[in-house]
């Protein structure tokens, strides 16, 4: 999970589609909110969870530092400015991205964890959604929905710009392009 407002891959998809970035996704080299994905990818950066400071991004910044401590500092891996830049053409550093795993036994904290967790999920799913939205989702719901879409359509749906770029790359490295369903 990205501790930024969105993962860098979503910014890359917007760039490939030629679309502006939604508010709160990233900033340019001067820390000013950017609408152009290239400004974020080349010299800028992603906003933390919560977006810019005015909308509570400092809380996401704190969470990001905690994750950086666990995954970078504690694990002995690269962290912060020592991590190679996304898609930098002359980058030679090894990724060396650290991982952190925590195992908890819910039974240590009391009985009925599974039942209480289900009540929490059911409560949120039963909330009244905002206008124009079908339902309130909990973590895992969008992924299950996408899994169903992939199963029902017989493959993974990709934006046409990504398929085009993957075909250009396949040609460049002299391999067959990805097969697609029409």
């Amino acid at each position: 999970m990205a501790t930024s407002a969105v993962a860098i891959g979503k910014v890359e998809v917007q760039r490939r589609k030629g679309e502006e970035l939604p508010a709160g996704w990233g900033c340019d080299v001067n820390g000013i909110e950017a609408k152009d994905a290239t400004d974020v990818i080349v010299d800028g950066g992603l906003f933390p969870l919560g977006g810019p400071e005015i909308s509570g991004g400092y809380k996401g910044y704190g969470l990001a530092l905690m994750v950086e401590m666990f995954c970078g500092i504690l694990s002995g891996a690269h962290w912060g400015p020592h991590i190679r830049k996304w898609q930098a053409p002359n980058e030679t550093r090894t990724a060396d991205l650290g991982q952190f795993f925590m195992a908890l036994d819910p039974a240590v904290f009391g009985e009925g964890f599974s039942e209480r967790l289900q009540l929490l999920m059911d409560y949120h799913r039963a909330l009244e959604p905002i206008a124009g939205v079908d339902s309130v989702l909990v973590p895992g719901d969008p992924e299950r929905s996408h899994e169903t879409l992939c199963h029902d359509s017989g493959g993974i749906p990709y934006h046409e710009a990504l398929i085009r770029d993957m075909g250009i790359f396949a040609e460049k490295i002299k391999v067959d392009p990805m097969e697609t369903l029409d």
Side-chain angles (χ1 to χ4, degrees):
M1 180 187 103
T3 56
S4 48
V6 295
I8 192 69
K10 287 188 180 273
V11 175
E12 176 62 25
V13 167
Q14 291 296 102
R15 185 191 66 76
R16 288 178 189 274
K17 289 165 55 177
E19 296 179 5
E20 281 191 350
L21 297 179
W25 278 25
C27 61
D28 64 17
V29 69
N30 298 310
I32 306 299
E33 187 164 357
K35 292 291 182 192
D36 185 338
T38 302
D39 291 339
V40 173
I41 293 170
V42 175
D43 291 317
L46 298 170
F47 280 130
L49 285 171
E53 183 179 4
I54 191 87
S55 60
Y58 57 90
K59 294 177 181 181
Y61 174 69
L63 284 171
L65 284 179
M66 181 183 69
V67 170
E68 195 78 27
M69 180 193 68
F70 285 139
C71 296
I73 306 298
L74 184 64
S75 73
H78 287 164
W79 55 272
H82 307 291
I83 296 172
R84 69 179 181 194
K85 185 82 170 152
W86 173 262
Q87 294 189 342
N90 299 319
E91 183 63 74
T92 59
R93 294 178 289 176
T94 303
D96 190 26
L97 301 175
Q99 305 293 316
F100 175 77
F101 300 92
M102 180 185 298
L104 296 173
D105 180 359
V108 171
F109 298 94
E111 295 180 13
F113 171 78
S114 295
E115 294 80 11
R116 291 193 329 262
L117 178 60
Q118 189 61 56
L119 287 171
L120 175 67
M121 299 298 106
D122 293 344
Y123 170 81
H124 282 274
R125 286 185 179 117
L127 290 171
E128 186 71 28
I130 62 171
V133 175
D134 293 333
S135 61
V136 175
L137 304 177
V138 299
D141 287 349
E143 292 79 7
R144 276 186 288 284
S145 176
H146 187 71
E147 192 175 293
T148 300
L149 171 69
C150 293
H151 180 268
D152 292 349
S153 63
I156 302 170
Y158 289 105
H159 189 273
E160 60 191 41
L162 180 59
I163 293 172
R164 180 199 65 226
D165 290 350
M166 289 170 60
I168 292 168
F169 185 66
E171 189 175 300
K172 179 179 176 181
I173 63 171
K174 298 178 178 27
V175 298
D176 291 335
M178 177 176 71
E179 291 185 35
T180 59
L181 302 174
D182 293 326

